[in-house]
Amino acid sequence: MLQKPRGTRDFLPEEMEQRREIEMRMRSVAQNWGYREICTPTFETQELYTIRSGEGIINEMYVFEDKGGRKLALRPEGTAAVLRMYVNEAKVLSKPVRWCYLSDCYRYERPQKGRYRQFWQFGAEQIGADTPAGEAEIILLAYEILKATGVRFTFHIGHLAPMKHLLSDLSDVHRKDIMALLDKKNFDGLQKYLEEINAESLFASLKSLLECRTIDEALKICGDMPDKERMCELIKILDSQNIEYRLNLGIVRGLDYYTGMVFEGFADNLGAENQIIGGGSYRLAHLFGGEDVASCGFGIGFDRVMVSIGEFNPQKPPLVSVVYTPDVSDFSFSIAKIFREAGITTELNLLERGIGAQMKHAAKTADYAVVIGKREAKSGKITLKDMKSGEQKELSADSAISVIRGVK
Ligand code: HAM
């Protein structure tokens, strides 16, 4: 028996129905905020990802050469492609551009619960605002979308400015190394590294920065610093909207394109892979041949949200099973058409079994059976059976449709 590739999943109809319900809730909140849905290709040129992150990223991606020798990659995330598309197609649009997407993404990772090689992200990108209001909007939108799904989560909001300020005397390489250690919360490694580069005095201030729970505490450590007003304005807007979050100035984010505001969200009931959202402010358009435009956005780990919510029964429209004898198949097909045109989900029995066997099948799968035999075909009426109550009535197709609509 052939198996699916490692790190991928099959979704049966019950699971797809739950996923579609949650997708629908996410889309409708995004739409309500003016974020319009877009779609980019599943694969892009490798360069789109290496241009910012370097060749190292290739190890973490699904990469291949096509028959024309072009180096391509399955997208590992949504943002780079969205900004490429913006540069290609939409530079002339009035700013800010507000877009959202639901994309399958591919990463060559070691699969475990909540970590897959194919997974889905619901993302939003806001291009060209470059204001604290724009950043606040993205955070508030993310918060509302997650709330609409019913997932229980904790939000951490941070800003790179204080950390960058503390590390401003160091070289780019040292700064990057330190931020990578902080990202991994490897404090022993950090202390060792700081000793090696003769900057051990920074350890205490970095640790206190990570413990700050208010922006005032952070300003006491950092003093005057670039982006101070902008950061304070962002926090002021967020606080005015009463969202629950924790200030976390230790958020560094693995993707190295963030420039200022950064945020992450964690599901309350998941284990190691509990991060369900990551986002922040960044600049990418100039790398793809566009003008340097400030953007911000987020990616929600759709699959992790689904794991966190757990199974549920989405509201389903009633299902009708048409049970008929082969001699009245034409009439039965026509009745099924009338029901479908009325918006009712209708299945015909296809196995040419006796009425009894068909009714047994209908009892397992359908809310109503529409029974059609010679007598019904002659009178033009049908017999409608409610599979839950067992009640049955001979009715015209129109009256049967009203009964079905009235009940559910
Ligand atoms: P990211 O943090 O790499 O950010 O991914 C966003 C979310 O995708 C994660 O928080 C996680 O929930 C989910 N995720 C990542 N890898 C996997 C995996 N292997 N299996 C299941 N879920 C996964 C980004 O991708 C940025 N593009 C976010 C962004 C948008 N920043 C600005 N705009």
Side-chain angles (χ1 to χ4, degrees):
M1 191 167 55
L2 286 179
Q3 298 293 339
K4 57 189 178 300
R6 201 164 130 75
T8 65
R9 286 152 300 154
D10 294 318
F11 301 105
L12 287 163
E14 287 73 22
E15 200 168 348
M16 278 314 292
E17 281 155 13
Q18 294 167 38
R19 289 172 73 91
R20 290 286 185 245
E21 165 70 27
I22 299 302
E23 280 175 34
M24 192 268 292
R25 290 190 205 169
M26 290 183 170
R27 283 197 173 98
S28 74
V29 175
Q31 212 169 28
N32 190 235
W33 285 58
Y35 285 71
R36 299 172 70 196
E37 188 165 358
I38 55 157
C39 182
T40 64
T42 306
F43 56 89
E44 294 275 351
T45 60
Q46 275 180 36
E47 200 189 353
L48 182 71
Y49 304 108
T50 54
I51 208 166
R52 182 67 189 90
S53 308
E55 297 285 316
I57 188 92
I58 288 180
N59 293 328
E60 294 161 31
M61 294 195 299
Y62 276 87
V63 293
F64 59 101
E65 262 185 39
D66 72 4
K67 288 174 185 154
R70 297 171 196 91
K71 290 189 166 172
L72 301 170
L74 298 184
R75 63 176 158 226
E77 55 91 43
T79 312
V82 172
L83 268 288
R84 194 242 341 112
M85 170 170 162
Y86 165 78
V87 172
N88 292 161
E89 320 274 350
K91 295 187 287 230
V92 292
L93 293 183
S94 185
K95 292 187 192 71
V97 169
R98 292 183 172 95
W99 283 343
C100 68
Y101 50 89
L102 179 72
S103 305
D104 46 344
C105 300
Y106 301 83
R107 294 187 189 178
Y108 198 78
E109 324 213 50
R110 238 164 60 108
Q112 51 183 287
K113 191 162 190 243
R115 182 179 286 273
Y116 313 101
R117 290 185 168 177
Q118 183 199 27
F119 63 98
W120 276 258
Q121 279 188 353
F122 186 90
E125 310 296 341
Q126 177 209 87
I127 306 165
D130 201 12
T131 57
E135 294 175 333
E137 177 178 285
I138 272 292
I139 295 173
L140 293 168
L141 169 64
Y143 189 83
E144 287 304 320
I145 290 178
L146 287 176
K147 281 194 83 174
T149 67
V151 68
R152 297 196 36 211
F153 63 97
T154 310
F155 235 35
H156 286 205
I157 299 173
H159 205 286
L160 296 176
M163 181 130 31
K164 279 189 176 162
H165 181 65
L166 284 185
L167 305 177
S168 57
D169 290 338
L170 303 180
S171 70
D172 268 3
V173 177
H174 287 160
R175 210 170 34 231
K176 270 198 168 170
D177 288 346
I178 291 171
M179 287 170 90
L181 288 164
L182 281 169
D183 193 27
K184 293 196 188 97
K185 303 203 169 36
N186 179 355
F187 294 110
D188 290 344
L190 177 67
Q191 194 159 19
K192 248 196 205 147
Y193 186 88
L194 290 171
E195 278 163 19
E196 273 166 31
I197 62 166
N198 289 323
E200 55 267 49
S201 61
L202 277 176
F203 188 73
S205 12
L206 281 172
K207 273 209 98 172
S208 346
L209 190 65
L210 265 56
E211 279 153 20
C212 289
R213 289 294 159 260
T214 67
I215 210 77
D216 289 341
E217 286 170 29
L219 293 177
K220 266 187 211 143
I221 298 169
C222 296
D224 207 19
M225 59 172 194
D227 274 345
K228 178 177 138 185
E229 276 79 33
R230 187 170 173 145
M231 203 172 72
C232 292
E233 176 64 16
L234 168 66
I235 298 294
K236 187 172 87 50
I237 300 175
L238 294 177
D239 289 345
S240 76
Q241 296 305 302
N242 293 322
I243 67 165
E244 277 171 49
Y245 72 93
R246 204 181 107 172
L247 184 74
N248 181 349
L249 296 167
I251 301 176
V252 185
R253 308 267 307 122
L255 298 166
D256 48 357
Y257 49 68
Y258 294 99
T259 50
M261 176 276 285
V262 277
F263 67 107
E264 293 176 343
F266 303 90
D268 293 348
N269 62 348
L270 296 182
E273 300 304 325
N274 64 344
Q275 194 186 316
I276 53 167
I277 185 170
S281 300
Y282 59 91
R283 288 176 179 273
L284 276 179
H286 61 293
L287 296 176
F288 308 146
E291 63 184 86
D292 188 13
V293 53
S295 320
C296 55
F298 59 80
I300 294 177
F302 184 79
D303 309 85
R304 292 186 188 171
V305 169
M306 293 307 299
V307 175
S308 173
I309 295 171
E311 282 179 32
F312 63 97
N313 281 325
Q315 273 244 322
K316 264 201 284 184
L319 173 71
V320 167
S321 183
V322 180
V323 168
Y324 64 98
T325 50
D327 51 336
V328 292
S329 64
D330 294 358
F331 181 65
S332 305
F333 268 78
S334 304
I335 288 289
K337 186 166 184 251
I338 292 169
F339 274 68
R340 288 175 188 137
E341 280 172 357
I344 291 169
T345 310
T346 308
E347 286 179 358
L348 278 164
N349 268 274
L350 303 175
L351 293 190
E352 297 183 358
R353 291 179 295 200
I355 295 286
Q358 291 185 44
M359 287 303 278
K360 259 194 196 153
H361 174 72
K364 280 190 223 147
T365 57
D367 299 293
Y368 294 93
V370 163
V371 189
I372 305 174
K374 257 203 192 107
R375 186 164 57 88
E376 282 87 357
K378 212 167 172 197
S379 69
K381 291 194 167 175
I382 51 105
T383 298
L384 181 72
K385 179 166 182 181
D386 182 326
M387 300 312 285
K388 256 189 218 109
S389 66
E391 204 181 312
Q392 70 178 58
K393 261 192 204 137
E394 201 169 300
L395 296 167
S396 69
D398 280 354
S399 313
I401 287 165
S402 305
V403 169
I404 294 164
R405 280 193 181 140
V407 175
K408 287 234 176 176

